[in-house]
Amino acid sequence: MRIDVVTIFPAFFAALDVSLLGRARQSGLIEVRIHDLRDFAHDRHRTVDDTPYGGGAGMVMRAEPWGEALDAVLTPGSTLVVPTPAGSLFTQRRARELSARQHLVFACGRYEGIDQRVVEWARRDHEVLELSLGDYVLNGGEVATLAMIEAAARVVPGMVGNPESLVEESHEEGLLEYPSYTKPASWRGLDVPPILLSGHHGAIAAWRREQSIDRTRRIRPELLPDDGTDL
Ligand code: ADE
């Protein structure tokens, strides 16, 4: 999988050198390239933003540097991802979809966003996804891009040592994950649920599923089917 990121803050992406992703990059499973948008601005101050047409607060990123940057990185099979609080929700399903793409390009906006014509133009020849991490506003697309790259990369086959560990995670089955425990069996007066020490795999699986459903009902009821379907 190849990933290109265009940003005015390349330093954010030093985080991609560490941990699982760092190893995946070293092994060649995932190739990431970071590009500075200002390299595509040609005035003395390398300006990438301007005031919004129609007035209002804040600045908008100009189409010209974005056009040049995307000309340099987009190839015929690329998917362009634009992180924005005005996008559709980024979910585990989306992460899996992104993980199957050959080439992802992330366009990190700042300020009040990128001139909308950039998306319109890119849609002529490419799949373009405007995606939001959630219903809150970040200062720009960089942190959202890091989150999306990590979520997509960790489900690329070969990334996680034991693929089974991905199956029972939160959101993989539309449920939150059950609680986990490790040694010691008793700690500060708190005991691990006895069923987990029983060795009865069937009973443990049933307990975990019950815990998942119960936790989802308490914390994220909107994830459950509301039509009375038994899970
Ligand atoms: N950029 C700013 N806020 C964002 C959000 N919530 N999700 C994705 N990109 C963003």
Side-chain angles (χ1 to χ4, degrees):
M1 171 188 249
R2 226 183 81 221
I3 298 174
D4 286 273
V5 178
V6 183
T7 172
I8 57 168
F9 290 120
F12 266 97
F13 295 91
L16 294 177
D17 292 334
V18 296
S19 187
L20 204 69
L21 260 165
R23 254 184 290 137
R25 289 181 76 181
Q26 274 169 11
S27 73
L29 204 57
I30 293 174
E31 192 188 331
V32 186
R33 274 180 259 166
I34 311 297
H35 311 268
D36 189 339
L37 178 68
R38 291 194 195 280
D39 291 345
F40 301 91
H42 303 297
D43 63 305
R44 212 153 46 90
H45 301 290
R46 307 212 296 163
T47 311
V48 294
D49 62 333
D50 209 332
T51 53
Y53 274 123
M59 300 290 270
V60 177
M61 291 187 118
R62 295 167 55 88
E64 295 108 316
W66 273 110
E68 285 196 30
L70 294 176
D71 284 342
V73 297
L74 286 171
T75 53
S78 310
T79 295
L80 178 64
V81 180
V82 184
T84 162
S88 63
L89 199 61
F90 181 70
T91 58
Q92 187 65 20
R93 173 182 301 206
R94 274 282 190 220
R96 286 208 173 268
E97 281 171 16
L98 294 189
S99 76
R101 300 290 194 276
Q102 284 294 311
H103 183 209
L104 298 174
V105 176
F106 287 87
C108 299
R110 281 263 146 184
Y111 318 114
E112 297 306 306
I114 303 170
D115 187 310
Q116 193 62 32
R117 289 170 295 182
V118 174
V119 163
E120 256 175 71
W121 162 80
R123 282 220 165 98
R124 289 181 188 162
D125 293 313
H126 300 275
E127 177 185 36
V128 181
L129 303 171
E130 292 177 281
L131 298 177
S132 171
L133 275 199
D135 295 337
Y136 45 84
V137 179
L138 303 167
N139 279 336
E142 283 77 9
V143 167
T145 293
L146 283 169
M148 292 181 202
I149 289 176
E150 179 157 316
R154 66 191 291 284
V155 292
V156 167
M159 264 293 284
V160 171
N162 176 6
E164 268 184 38
S165 69
L166 297 176
V167 175
E168 293 195 353
E169 289 181 329
S170 289
H171 302 298
E172 276 300 341
E173 276 195 282
L175 293 173
L176 303 186
E177 193 179 6
Y178 51 79
S180 299
Y181 304 86
T182 187
K183 292 181 256 326
S186 190
W187 175 77
R188 297 190 180 183
L190 298 169
D191 293 338
V192 169
I195 184 111
L196 298 177
L197 311 178
S198 69
H200 294 138
H201 298 301
I204 290 171
W207 180 85
R208 284 177 165 166
R209 181 147 186 92
E210 217 173 90
Q211 291 288 315
S212 273
I213 294 169
D214 187 54
R215 196 181 233 186
T216 309
R217 190 169 287 130
R218 275 186 291 114
I219 299 170
R220 298 287 305 279
E222 74 279 13
L223 295 178
L224 293 170
D226 52 11
D227 56 4
T229 311
D230 273 345
L231 282 160

